[in-house]
Amino acid sequence: MDEVLLRSLTPSVLGVLVRRGADFAAAEDAVQDALVEAVRAWPADPPRDPKGWLVAVAWRRFLDATRSDTARRRREDRVDEEPAPGPARAVDDTLQLYFLCAHPSLTPSSAVALTLRAVGGLTTRQIAHAYLVPEATMAQRVSRAKRTVSGVRFDRPGDVATVLRVLYLVFNEGYSGDVDLAAEAIRLTRQLAAAVDHPEVAGLLALMLLHHARRAARTASDGSLVPLAEQDRGRWDTASIAEGVAILQGALARDRLGEFQAQAAVAALHADAPTAEETDWVQIVEWYDELARLTDSPVVRLNRAVAVGEADGPRAGLAALAAVDASLPRHTAVAAYLHERDGDLATAARLYAEAAHKAGNLAERDHLTRRAARLNALLPPAG
């Protein structure tokens, strides 16, 4: 396999797809799929026209993805932007597709990636960001999953745990990313909760409702991010909060704690505080300890460091942060916040600027840049 040839052909193949009408992000996904297929097929059957082969395969991948995205959008158009409270009327084919993509022949991580790509409509870049892996790695994972299921019968649907993970990641992308999928994720999780009696399904639904209740307050009129501590709590959806808390209490009463119930408990403690200053950070640290025990997730340890900083002081938070992988997204932003709380404005300003450079979206970058500028304005002139 001539990898140099593949790399040299990539820009021109990408250009052909764009000229044919594909948007750049979708064209990139399609070309990546074609490159992975070339790595698999060319050693045994090298094409006479490598560029033409890549263009043909990539264009087919683009058309398949476009049809899938169009079908998904039609399903989304059938629901209102805000999810209605109460039980779902019936389970539609979208939820069934989620179960089918979580096929037993796939590993859980591959099943999640495939479902997000094929049913959820997310791009390879968005899925890679959710998984904290390079985009090329995720492209290979999705392509391998497609090959794995291409020859199997979809008569053994996947398990609930994998479907929950998919719905959780779709909701997170819709809640904080550039694709609005949060309402669809809530709708499908309601359906799953109506069909499957499991405390973790209820925990995930409660978590989604509690986060979604704060959505209106998360951005200012100019589109800038509003941190949780600064949000107007009068804009929170109290009906969604009440429903989420009630669902969570029912799940916790069954004494089968899982990670989604623990995350929902943290969200409920934030929702229950009349003001940011009255937040019960000690309990939140305890719930993060439970989450760390359940998941051993670096993201949980990062969030726990923030909670420790609020409960026990910024220096305790910085000590907890020192045990977290510094390459983790948001690590630098958390360090900046804790240094600011500790009164080290120069270090905080520098770290906010560094975090802004690493930010994954424009709103977050602007927010961190403003934080750095505000602190720099407070520092004495140099020299």
Side-chain angles (χ1 to χ4, degrees), residues 139-355:
Q140 292 178 344
R141 186 178 299 175
V142 171
S143 294
R144 282 196 300 268
K146 289 178 181 177
R147 290 199 302 273
T148 299
V149 300
S150 62
V152 300
R153 294 180 59 190
F154 282 92
D155 54 359
R156 293 184 299 141
D159 64 359
V160 172
T162 302
V163 175
L164 286 178
R165 178 63 53 188
V166 172
L167 291 169
Y168 175 66
L169 289 174
V170 171
F171 176 81
N172 280 346
E173 191 63 44
Y175 186 70
S176 61
D178 56 1
V179 178
D180 186 7
L181 296 173
E184 174 73 353
I186 292 175
R187 184 180 72 86
L188 293 173
T189 306
R190 285 191 186 282
Q191 293 185 352
L192 185 61
V196 178
D197 182 22
H198 193 288
E200 271 294 82
V201 178
L204 178 60
L205 179 56
L207 175 64
M208 289 180 175
L209 290 169
L210 289 164
H211 278 300
H212 204 66
R214 302 199 301 259
R215 184 169 187 172
R218 291 183 72 246
T219 54
S221 57
D222 61 359
S224 60
L225 292 180
V226 180
L228 176 60
E230 301 171 17
Q231 288 177 14
D232 177 0
R233 299 185 178 218
R235 299 184 66 195
W236 290 1
D237 183 348
T238 55
S240 291
I241 290 173
E243 184 186 6
V245 169
I247 291 171
L248 173 63
Q249 288 174 338
L252 292 176
R254 300 176 67 174
D255 199 24
R256 293 166 59 192
L257 183 64
E259 64 172 297
F260 293 123
Q261 295 169 73
Q263 286 191 56
V266 172
L269 286 167
H270 283 299
D272 188 54
T275 66
E277 292 73 23
E278 296 173 88
T279 303
D280 190 343
W281 287 106
V282 173
Q283 270 206 74
I284 289 176
V285 171
E286 292 173 354
W287 278 112
Y288 275 128
D289 287 339
E290 290 287 348
L291 268 170
R293 180 181 60 81
L294 290 166
T295 68
D296 193 31
S297 163
V299 175
V300 168
R301 291 195 294 273
L302 181 68
N303 291 333
R304 180 185 179 277
V306 176
V308 169
E310 299 290 350
D312 300 326
R315 294 193 180 182
L318 286 167
L321 184 65
V324 180
D325 183 0
S327 66
L328 197 67
R330 291 187 57 247
H331 186 285
T332 306
V334 169
Y337 173 74
L338 291 171
H339 278 289
E340 180 184 0
R341 288 276 323 280
D342 195 38
D344 186 353
L345 302 189
T347 300
R350 175 178 58 79
L351 290 172
Y352 275 131
E354 183 180 333

Side-chain angles (χ1 to χ4, degrees), residues 13 17 27 30-32 34 53-63:
V13 174
L17 266 65
V31 172
Q32 286 174 350
W53 189 98
L54 287 171
V55 168
V57 172
W59 185 247
R60 284 199 299 271
R61 295 292 192 273
F62 167 73
L63 293 177

